Amino acid sequence: MADLIPDLAPYTHGLDPATFPLRIETRGEKGNVNSVRFVVVTLEKYTSEIAMNGQGYRVESFAPIDQSATSSESTLSKRQQEALSGMIFETIEALLMALSPGFEEFFGQELSRRLNAISWEQLERDREAQYPGSDDEDG
C-alpha cells in the first residue's frame, strides 16, 4: 500500500509549502499495511489529514492552521462539508479540489496549459504531414 502514496510533487504550486516534505504514517499489522495517512496544507491555510486505503482517499480532519480563527461548519462550502462527511474519493486530485478552491483553480489552469500544449504539438505534426519539408518561416 505504501507504494501507492500519491506523488504530490507536481502540485507544489497548488498546495501550501508546509505540505512538503510529505509526512506519512502507515497503519496495520506488521508487513500488512491497510491504510496510509498523510497531512496536506491547503493554500487557504487549512490542515487536512487524509487517509488512503484500498477504497480510495478520505478526509480524517480539516482545520485552520490558525486555531484562533473561527471555523464553523457554516463557513465551509458545500463541497468541503461533503468531503468531511466521510465521502471517499477515487483520486487525490478530486479530494483536493473538494477541499481547496485554490487547488481547484491551480489544477484547472495546469490542465488547460497541458491541453493547449498538446493541441499545439498536434497542429505542428498535422502541418508537417500536410506540407513536408516546409519551415516555420515560410508560414
Side-chain angles (χ1 to χ4, degrees):
M1 174 84 50
D3 60 330
L4 298 176
I5 296 167
D7 179 13
L8 297 178
Y11 307 131
T12 55
H13 296 293
L15 295 168
D16 189 274
T19 299
F20 304 99
L22 198 59
R23 293 167 293 287
I24 299 164
E25 174 187 331
T26 57
R27 296 202 177 157
E29 296 184 23
K30 188 176 182 179
N32 184 23
V33 174
N34 57 21
S35 75
V36 175
R37 296 177 190 283
F38 51 95
V39 174
V40 170
V41 180
T42 68
L43 292 174
E44 297 79 20
K45 303 294 186 202
Y46 277 78
T47 301
S48 179
E49 182 179 350
I50 299 170
M52 180 193 76
N53 61 26
Q55 294 177 324
Y57 299 89
R58 186 180 74 245
V59 177
E60 294 288 307
S61 67
F62 188 67
I65 291 174
D66 181 1
Q67 294 297 326
S68 65
T70 56
S71 170
S72 68
E73 287 276 316
S74 63
T75 62
L76 299 177
S77 72
K78 183 178 178 184
R79 289 182 70 196
Q80 289 170 324
Q81 290 176 29
E82 288 173 352
L84 294 172
S85 71
M87 185 174 184
I88 295 175
F89 294 84
E90 288 185 23
T91 67
I92 189 64
E93 293 84 1
L95 182 146
L96 292 172
M97 284 189 285
L99 290 180
S100 171
F103 182 84
E104 184 173 29
E105 182 178 337
F106 161 79
F107 191 80
Q109 289 173 350
E110 186 65 13
L111 180 61
S112 178
R113 184 189 67 76
R114 289 182 183 186
L115 290 173
N116 193 27
I118 290 169
S119 65
W120 274 110
E121 289 170 11
Q122 184 63 45
L123 183 64
E124 286 297 317
R125 282 193 296 271
D126 292 348
R127 182 172 174 243
E128 278 296 315
Q130 189 173 11
Y131 305 105
S134 69
D135 40 58
D136 293 341
E137 294 176 12
D138 292 340

